[in-house]
Amino acid sequence: MVLYGNPNSLVGITLEIRAMGPVPVTIGTGIVAIIGESNRGPVTPTGLRSVSQIKTLYDSGDLKEGGELAFNQGAPNVYLGRVMGAGYATATATLTDSTGTTIGVVDAMSPGNWGNGLIFKIEDGDYYGTDVEIFSGDGTEGPYALDRDDLVADAANYVKVNNVVKTIVYSAVGLIAGTVYCNQANGSLTFFAGEGPTVSDQVRVSIKFKSRKLTLYDGEYSYVFNNIRSLEDMQAKIAESALIVFTPSANKTHLPKTYTPTALSGGLEGATPTTDDWETALNAMSEVVTPTTVVLTSYEVAGDSYDLVPILDGWLMYMANKFRPCLGFIPCKMNETKANVMDLCAGYNNRLLSIVANAWDADPTTKQNIAVARAGKEAACALGESAARSYNSMNGLNGLLQIHSDEDVDVLSRSGADVIILKRGIRPYIGISTATDWQFMRTVDNRTINWVILAIKYITDQFYHERRTKVVLTSLKASLASVFEEQIELENIRAYALSVSAHAIDTGRVDIDIKMENIGHIERFRVLMQVGVMPGGGFTV
């Protein structure tokens, strides 16, 4: 730790500051990540906190529908990752000023041929802007280029050289002694011969210019951005559309010329996405966030293969190995048979993977994906609270497309399938993973386990390279204990045992042993009812 003072001084004071006590844990929950395809939207995973932007960003498709459905479950944070095949491109348009010089590029907000349908028009803005500049001369008459072009002749305009006003003329033939010619088209000033300012002269300019109004049409709505006075202003206003972005060229200041309606071009969808593309989207998500739950909107790329299940299974293990565990959900096909579901689940034993058996709602036109709703509701539930509780029924669904009998529900659940039931709401029968160990079958338990793992990693990261003393190990243990004590107080776990010890031989190692019992959830009742004569059952008259 930091040592203040000089320990070598014969007379004086030193002060050493050391941290002590437990480390507080600040780890959030309630994050659902959705991977899927959409008509448009960023390929980079994007976090949203409300449903309002989803339509504008993603327009239509499984990813857009999934994002809205997840928010319907009460999930506070939704991250969307768009899957696209190789060779996709973004629609674009190059903007120039009145002289034909490139001043920037307009790009669709996201790749795909949807951007080719964006049409923009640039007109004069409703109000003028004022260009105010101060510069030194170079000893010549000019012309001196100003930051703006398309200038306006106005009585308020002025040009001063060392605070001496020059008369502004707007035609080159009117340039005489004591005047300065303003070229309105290209935005420049030219002084009369012999009156050019020197490097020691200060030139002050205030001159009106035409602002710009950009109108954007996406085939459904029009968006208007008026009175744009600079390229930076244009960049900021256009960003509000969530449809296009404007990137100014370096060292350019002129506004774009006026444009008649012009379409962006060059947008491409790319090849049909492969399993590698889905894996790429998952890996991109891992670079952005550690979600509580993650869900794929589809189950396969090639027909009758369920080839996306092993992709999700492997990614979940990758995340767990990075000490960033999360629960993963994936749907089965519509009306999949019991035998095929059982056969699919038999190939996996992963406490983090849930295969949703009957994962579609009753309205085939909406194709609401119940696996997405499961992930959203699971993320929205508090630690220790089961998504199978009737209070936590999933929202925004139109019943079940496939309803299994009570007998089949039990059989499928024992085989590792997450089965959805319709009983005073739509909810999982139990809420289970594909794990075969009973300790890791229930998703509610795994959610608590994942949170504790994240907390342990967060705490131990704070203690690397600390001295392995009794004081430090006591603080480490107290930090860990505070996590478990809080979970006991919240009734998420029933009991725990914890020990922290310095290894007897390896001086760089600390052993942490933890035992934890998750809180139980009532799933079965045993009732004993005895009928007959009870002692003391007589009466007195």
Side-chain angles (χ1 to χ4, degrees), residues 337-346 355 357-358 404-421 429-430 432-435 441:
T337 65
K338 180 178 74 173
N340 285 346
V341 172
M342 294 173 65
D343 183 60
L344 175 64
C345 292
I355 299 175
N358 48 337
H404 292 288
S405 67
D406 290 346
E407 180 181 288
D408 285 346
V409 166
D410 265 326
V411 171
L412 286 166
S413 297
R414 293 179 187 278
S415 72
D418 195 26
V419 185
I420 310 301
I421 62 172
Y429 175 54
I430 299 176
I432 63 171
S433 69
T434 54
M441 286 179 59

Side-chain angles (χ1 to χ4, degrees), residues 345-357:
C345 292
Y348 299 93
N349 184 0
N350 186 342
R351 75 173 187 87
L352 302 172
L353 174 66
S354 291
I355 299 175
V356 184

Side-chain angles (χ1 to χ4, degrees), residues 1-4 14-20 466-467:
M1 292 300 172
V2 177
L3 180 66
Y4 298 98
T14 61
L15 187 150
E16 186 173 359
I17 299 179
R18 294 187 180 184
M20 62 171 288
E466 290 277 5
R467 290 185 291 183

Side-chain angles (χ1 to χ4, degrees), residues 491-508:
E491 297 184 312
N492 294 331
I493 65 173
R494 193 193 68 82
Y496 76 97
L498 170 67
S499 70
V500 177
S501 59
H503 193 270
I505 299 175
D506 187 347
T507 59

Side-chain angles (χ1 to χ4, degrees), residues 129-135 146 151-170 178-182 188-189 191 202-209:
T130 302
D131 180 27
V132 178
E133 300 184 40
I134 301 175
F135 58 88
L146 299 177
L151 305 178
V152 178
D154 190 272
N157 294 345
Y158 67 76
V159 175
K160 301 177 181 178
V161 179
N162 296 331
N163 289 323
V164 177
V165 176
K166 294 283 187 178
T167 301
I168 302 175
V169 295
Y170 298 97
T179 66
V180 59
Y181 164 54
C182 173
S188 66
L189 297 177
F191 293 84
Q202 184 188 68
V203 181
R204 299 176 65 90
V205 178
S206 176
I207 197 161
K208 301 289 185 182
F209 64 91

